[in-house]
Amino acid sequence: MADLERRRALAEFLRSRRARITPEDVGIPGGSRRRTPGLRREEVAQLSGVSVTWYTWLEQARDITVSRQVLESLSRALQLNRDERRHLYALADEPLLEYPCPAVVPTPALQKLVDALDPHPAYLSDANWDLVAWNRSMAGLIGDPGRLPAAERNLIRLTFGDPGMRTLMADWAGQAQSLLAQFRADSRQRIGDPYLERITGELRESSPEFRDWWDKHDIAEFHSTQREFRHPELGSLTFDYVMLEALESPGMKLFTSMPSDSATTARLPALQEYGTRHSLAVPLP
């Protein structure tokens, strides 16, 4: 029943999008004797490169298979925007491949939220796991990402490529493998993404651990977890990590760290001050 309802919702959505497009919108002479609002079925079929019969079945909620290629053609023919395209894929029960742009800028509200979480370390990452915003305490914990060129501010790159992370993380091997399994799970819908391929390719060359663990194909979803750090000035710090997704920015996630014990809580002001002292006034481009 659920599958039938999904097909009916897909059919209704297609009809509604077809009705709102005029023939002139797609370069078809309208004429004066049209009774159908918007485009006819045969016109959508022609624009999408599918048969009229097949498209008619689709609008009749028939049990037929819809390929990703056809969904893309329908998206273009019906001039769907990003949100409508995502909805179309969801109704067709087809995973949507989206290759996010590496240069993501957080909204002002998200940036304010990250800053307001000080002295609790917090950061925003995009779908590529690039760090796009962080507060002073986060800079005090892992080092200011602003000291790096923007292309290198990636959590997986830092974990496997920054020697300081190996001494900072109390259990580097365990935490690195856990992060890598989560990274693979996040990237499973983006196989072939050039940006992702470049990151993994470079790390396979530079890190034997990354190469060995990546080839194991371990996958894990994020769960609130505890991580211990050995800070060069403040000593042992233990945090419980919490993750929230930003609905208005697809792929953007907020991570914040809550102290796991009273000793870590007492050191938060010093961590924030350490981050302030060691942060760049202006991040590198």
Side-chain angles (χ1 to χ4, degrees):
M1 180 62 70
D3 189 56
L4 175 59
E5 290 304 315
R6 180 183 55 75
R7 296 200 306 272
R8 286 174 175 169
L10 173 61
E12 291 171 1
F13 180 68
L14 290 172
R15 287 195 294 270
S16 71
R17 300 305 91 176
R18 175 167 62 85
R20 72 174 185 174
I21 300 178
T22 67
E24 291 77 13
D25 289 336
V26 293
I28 298 175
S32 58
R33 303 181 62 182
R34 297 179 66 94
R35 294 179 298 174
T36 303
L39 296 179
R40 299 187 177 104
R41 285 177 176 172
E42 57 266 28
E43 291 168 339
V44 174
Q46 180 180 3
L47 290 169
S48 304
V50 299
S51 72
V52 177
T53 300
W54 187 92
Y55 181 77
T56 300
W57 287 349
L58 195 59
E59 283 201 4
Q60 291 175 345
R62 299 279 191 97
D63 187 6
I64 57 177
T65 301
V66 188
S67 70
R68 192 185 308 277
Q69 181 179 1
V70 168
L71 290 175
E72 282 300 309
S73 296
L74 289 172
S75 295
R76 290 190 294 269
L78 296 173
Q79 300 181 359
L80 303 185
N81 61 31
R82 186 187 70 174
D83 293 338
E84 291 169 333
R85 177 172 172 266
R86 291 172 64 87
H87 189 61
L88 175 68
Y89 270 75
L91 292 177
D93 198 25
E94 181 71 24
L96 175 60
L97 292 182
E98 291 186 301
Y99 296 160
C101 174
V104 176
V105 178
T107 64
L110 285 174
Q111 181 68 65
K112 288 180 181 179
L113 177 58
V114 172
D115 293 337
L117 286 168
D118 253 333
H120 299 89
Y123 66 91
L124 283 170
S125 68
D126 63 14
N128 299 311
W129 285 43
D130 286 347
L131 302 177
V132 297
W134 56 91
N135 59 18
R136 294 294 186 181
S137 294
M138 189 65 195
L141 180 62
I142 69 168
D144 183 11
R147 75 191 190 279
L148 302 170
E152 298 180 18
R153 296 172 199 159
N154 180 276
L155 186 58
I156 289 297
R157 283 188 187 275
L158 290 173
T159 301
F160 287 90
D162 186 345
M165 296 294 284
R166 293 175 181 258
T167 56
L168 178 65
M169 294 179 173
D171 176 22
W172 178 83
Q175 292 187 40
Q177 289 183 74
S178 175
L179 287 170
L180 188 59
Q182 294 170 40
F183 179 69
R184 182 180 279 280
D186 269 5
S187 61
R188 61 191 164 203
Q189 301 299 335
R190 298 168 48 227
I191 296 174
D193 177 356
Y195 189 70
L196 176 66
E197 293 294 318
R198 185 169 74 252
I199 291 175
T200 56
E202 291 174 359
L203 288 174
R204 283 180 62 85
E205 292 294 325
S206 62
S207 171
E209 294 96 341
F210 179 92
R211 181 171 59 252
D212 292 344
W213 296 337
W214 184 254
D215 288 346
K216 289 182 178 178
H217 292 265
D218 291 338
I219 291 178
E221 302 294 337
F222 175 85
H223 298 284
S224 296
T225 186
Q226 189 175 95
R227 294 177 186 161
E228 181 183 355
F229 299 88
R230 293 170 180 158
H231 195 272
E233 186 173 299
L234 303 178
S236 177
L237 299 170
T238 307
F239 292 99
D240 294 313
Y241 270 70
V242 178
M243 183 267 285
L244 300 173
E245 294 194 44
L247 295 180
E248 72 274 21
S249 302
M252 191 89 73
K253 296 176 182 178
L254 169 69
F255 292 84
T256 187
S257 313
M258 308 303 293
S260 302
D261 51 48
S262 57
T264 301
T265 301
R267 292 170 182 151
L268 287 182
L271 181 64
Q272 183 181 22
E273 194 274 334
Y274 183 91
T276 301
R277 284 191 284 117
H278 291 82
S279 295
L280 295 179
V282 179
L284 295 177

